[in-house]
Amino acid sequence: MTRLLGGSFILVAALALGLFTGSAQAGRLDCDEPASLCAEPLDSIGYEGAYTGHDEPSLLFYSNAAGSGNSNLYHVQLPSDPKVLPNQSGTAGTWNFQLHPAFWLGMALCDNQSAPEFTHAPCAPDSDTNIFDGPNPAGADYIGKHPGTAFLEVQFYPPGWAPFQLPGGISCDPTQWCAAMAIFSLNRDQNTTPVTDNNAACLNTVGLEPANFAFITNSGAPHDPPGPLDQTSGTFTPNPATDLFMNSGDQLTVDIHDGAAGLTVIVHDLTTGGTGSMTASSANGFAQVLYEPASTTCHEAPYTFRPMYATSSEHTRVPWAAHSYNVAFSDEIGHFEYCSAVAREGGRCTSNGESSLDGDDAFCFTAALSLFVPIGGCTATDNDFDGTSYEPVWPGTDPNRGQDKKFHPSPITFTSPLFNGSENYSRVAFEADLPRIEAADFGGNCNRVTGANCVNPPPGSNFYPIYSTGTSTLNPSANGHCVWQFGGSHLKGTTNTFGGNSAAEFGPLLFSFYPGIPVRTNNFRNVLSSNPCPA
C-alpha cells in the first residue's frame, strides 16, 4: 500500500509541475506520436514523416447479408493475470499489460470530412452504395471516389501498470479493466499528388489522425468532452465514479449497432451485473474535424457517427487504413519493453540491460509510477520485435499447462459476432499488418511494392501469437460452445490452430489498391471459405 500511495503522490506532483508531455497532458489524443491507442494508417503520418504504426494481428468477419456491416453482438471473457508477478529481468510472470495495451472490436464508419476527401458529399450510413474499391481512376467504382471514412475501435485496457492518462500509460486501475469508444479519422486528401493535408492549425492541434474518445460509462454520457478540439485531460482520465470498471475473468456481452441516436456500444458485465454504454452522437459531444486546407484556423462541427456499410464483405474497407477490414477483432501488441532507468518519467530509457538502447525505447516509466506491478518499461512501438509481445510468454506457449497458468495470463476469449441479433458471419479471415511495420520508413527492409523481404514472423521475434478455436461456456445459451482465443497453440481445449504458427495462419501477402498510389502490400491475409467457429 505504501508503494501505491507513493506512486500516486509522484504522479500528482509530476502532472502539477508539467513534467509529462503529449496528448493527455495537452488534453488531446495525438496520433502523430507513437501512441498505442490509434488506428493503423496506410502511410507515415507522424512528425517529419516518422511512422507511428502498430502491430495489430486481426480476425475479420465477412458476410454479404444486410446488417452484417452495422450490427455486432460479441460474447467476451476478459483475460486474467497469473499469480506470479513480473520482475525487472523478465524471468518471472508476464501480465496482460506487457502483451497488449488494448484489444479492440472494430467497424467502419461514415465521416465525409475524412480521407479519401473527394467531394465531401454526405455519406449515406448503413449502405453498400459506399463501396468503391476499383483501381482505375476513370472507373465509376474508383477507390478515390469513396466517401470519407472513420474507424471505430471499442478498446479494452488491462490493469496493473502506468496510469492511462499519461502519454504511454496503459492501465485505468490497479486491478480492474476499463473500456472506451475511440473513433479515428484522417485529415488528408488522398486524391492529390502529393497528398494534401488539412491546414497547419489542425495539424498542430489534433494532428493528421484526429480522434473522438470517450470511456464507456455507467450512464452512457461522457464524463468529459470527446470531440477532438474539445478534449481535456479529464477526457483521458478514468473515473471509477462514472465509468464501467470490470474484473479480470468477467464475462461480457458487447453490442455494437446503429441506434436511433447514432452508433451505440453497450457492454453488459454478466459476471457482476454492471452495464455501461456510449453513443457517438452530437448530443454527447462527438464531432468531426472540418477539412479546410486553406483555412488559418481549425474547426470542428457536431457530428453523429454511424456505420458506413450494410454488409461486411471483402469489398468493405477504410481506404486510408493499413488494414483491409470493416468488422474485425484485433489485439494491439508490440508496446512493452523492460526499462530499469529513465531520463525522465514518460521520456526515454537510459538502461534496460541490453548492450545498446534502441530507437523504440521511449515513453518509459519507472516502477514508481506503476499502479500495482513494480516494474519499469517503455510503450513505444517495438519496431525491432524484441519486446515481451514477441517472446513465448503468451497463454498457451508452454505445453506444461500448470507452468503456463502459473506464469502466463489466460487468453482473451470471445465468440464470433452475431449480426441482426442472431445471424452468423459466413466466413472469416486472419490478417496481420506486418509488411507495414517492416517497411523502410520504420527501419525495416520490406518493399511494399514488390513484397520483397516482407516476412512472417517478423525479423527479431522469438514468437508471434495466433488465433485458435476452443470450447467454452462463454455463451450461456450453449454449453461447450466454440470460442476464439489468442496466444499459443497449447491452450487447454483447443480444437483448431489453423496451421499452428503465424506464417500458416495469416497466409500470403495481400496487395491492395489505394487512392492515388500504386498497388502495395500492407498485410498478410488468409480468407477462409467458411466460419469455423459460429456463435
Side-chain angles (χ1 to χ4, degrees), residues 143-435:
I143 192 170
K145 298 177 181 178
H146 197 291
T149 51
F151 191 70
L152 164 74
E153 295 182 7
V154 183
Q155 301 179 337
F156 291 81
Y157 311 118
W161 199 58
F164 184 89
Q165 57 267 37
L166 302 182
I170 290 175
S171 299
C172 292
D173 187 79
T175 61
Q176 290 190 298
W177 292 70
C178 68
M181 172 188 283
I183 298 175
F184 303 98
S185 304
L186 194 67
N187 267 328
R188 173 168 287 173
D189 185 343
Q190 295 176 277
N191 287 288
T192 61
T193 305
V195 295
T196 305
D197 294 331
N198 209 348
N199 61 72
C202 282
L203 301 186
N204 290 332
T205 51
V206 299
L208 269 167
E209 191 180 337
N212 282 261
F213 183 91
F215 286 106
I216 305 297
T217 64
N218 300 317
S219 67
H223 62 62
D224 273 74
L229 284 173
D230 307 316
Q231 292 162 359
T232 70
S233 59
T235 301
F236 305 101
T237 303
N239 186 343
T242 59
D243 303 343
L244 179 67
F245 278 60
M246 299 156 284
N247 301 312
S248 295
D250 281 3
Q251 295 190 8
L252 319 173
T253 61
V254 184
D255 181 358
I256 306 169
H257 65 274
D258 191 7
L263 175 80
T264 299
V265 174
I266 302 172
V267 179
H268 290 291
D269 189 325
L270 303 179
T271 304
T272 66
T275 298
S277 65
M278 185 54 56
T279 299
S281 65
S282 58
N284 269 341
F286 285 76
Q288 60 180 176
V289 174
L290 301 183
Y291 181 77
E292 302 169 322
S295 177
T296 58
T297 55
C298 189
H299 302 105
E300 69 177 18
Y303 189 72
T304 294
F305 288 91
R306 295 186 182 278
M308 172 157 277
Y309 301 107
T311 68
S312 182
S313 73
E314 291 85 338
H315 296 282
T316 61
R317 53 180 285 206
V318 176
W320 58 262
H323 274 289
S324 72
Y325 44 53
N326 173 14
V327 173
F329 172 98
S330 183
D331 199 13
E332 186 107 8
I333 71 173
H335 283 285
F336 190 90
E337 296 194 54
Y338 289 98
C339 177
S340 54
V342 301
R344 61 175 177 81
E345 296 291 1
R348 298 198 61 81
C349 184
T350 58
S351 177
N352 62 1
E354 299 177 0
S355 57
S356 61
L357 294 169
D358 303 320
D360 56 14
D361 293 320
F363 284 77
C364 308
F365 301 100
T366 66
L369 259 70
S370 175
L371 296 171
F372 186 73
V373 180
I375 60 170
C378 307
T379 60
T381 303
D382 185 5
N383 63 323
D384 55 1
F385 307 102
D386 63 350
T388 52
S389 293
Y390 305 104
E391 296 294 333
V393 292
W394 287 82
T397 51
D398 191 333
N400 181 332
R401 293 200 178 102
Q403 292 294 97
D404 195 63
K405 185 176 181 180
K406 180 178 179 180
F407 291 102
H408 304 157
S410 64
I412 303 168
T413 308
F414 60 100
T415 61
S416 294
L418 295 171
F419 63 92
N420 295 335
S422 60
E423 298 181 55
N424 271 290
Y425 286 80
S426 58
R427 53 199 184 279
V428 302
F430 305 104
E431 186 170 283
D433 62 333
L434 289 171

Side-chain angles (χ1 to χ4, degrees), residues 63-111:
S63 173
N64 297 325
S68 61
N70 55 36
S71 169
N72 295 159
L73 177 63
Y74 295 84
H75 284 79
V76 178
Q77 183 164 25
L78 295 174
S80 298
D81 292 306
K83 293 182 178 179
V84 177
L85 291 174
N87 61 20
Q88 198 63 55
S89 63
T91 57
T94 301
W95 278 37
N96 278 286
F97 67 80
Q98 298 174 277
L99 298 177
H100 32 219
F103 70 86
W104 51 260
L105 312 174
M107 181 182 288
L109 309 178
C110 285
D111 182 356

Side-chain angles (χ1 to χ4, degrees), residues 479-495:
N479 192 27
H481 207 68
C482 182
V483 293
W484 295 98
Q485 49 200 16
F486 192 64
S489 59
H490 299 292
L491 293 167
K492 184 179 180 179
T494 294
T495 55

